[in-house]
Amino acid sequence: MRDQHESLRALQDWYAAQCDGQWDPLSGIRIGTLDSPGWSLRIDLSSTGLAGRPFTEVKVQGDDDDDWCHCRIQSEVFEAFCGPDHLVDVIAIFLAWAVAAARNAAH
């Protein structure tokens, strides 16, 4: 449970760092559900330092029908779709990429 809280806290911190008074309120982070069942996560990158940064698409399919995730960037939006038990995993994928991209930009 601790890792889940840390991932959510880190996502909250990342979001707060983007809110400099100029990020469009229609942009941002959207978490929804799928009918498969599962989760969707969309993060608008267009007004962030991550816009235009390369991202390697992630597709994972486990043994179970609900054991899967797919992460990509489309039109400056990080999109993730996953089975019902993997929302924290796709948040962690986003955060790992965001941290690495910010670190690479600083060098």
Side-chain angles (χ1 to χ4, degrees):
M1 188 75 101
R2 181 175 168 90
D3 289 339
Q4 294 173 355
H5 289 296
E6 289 173 7
S7 292
L8 189 53
R9 171 73 60 200
L11 183 62
Q12 291 174 160
D13 292 345
W14 180 85
Y15 171 74
Q18 307 312 304
C19 295
D20 60 0
Q22 296 186 21
W23 207 19
D24 185 338
L26 297 177
S27 301
I29 299 171
R30 302 274 187 267
I31 298 174
T33 56
L34 304 172
D35 60 359
S36 39
W39 295 100
S40 66
L41 172 66
R42 287 183 168 81
I43 303 174
D44 187 335
L45 305 172
S46 60
S47 297
T48 73
L50 297 174
R53 298 273 177 210
F55 177 81
T56 302
E57 187 171 11
V58 174
K59 283 187 177 183
V60 176
Q61 178 61 58
D63 294 333
D64 185 342
D65 286 346
D66 289 339
D67 186 16
W68 63 277
C69 73
H70 181 196
C71 303
R72 65 185 181 198
I73 292 182
Q74 295 253 315
S75 302
E76 294 190 334
V77 175
F78 176 89
E79 298 179 331
F81 309 95
C82 62
D85 295 329
H86 294 288
L87 179 59
V88 171
D89 298 331
V90 296
I91 290 171
I93 289 168
F94 169 76
L95 292 169
W97 169 72
V99 167
R103 188 178 312 125
N104 291 339
H107 293 291

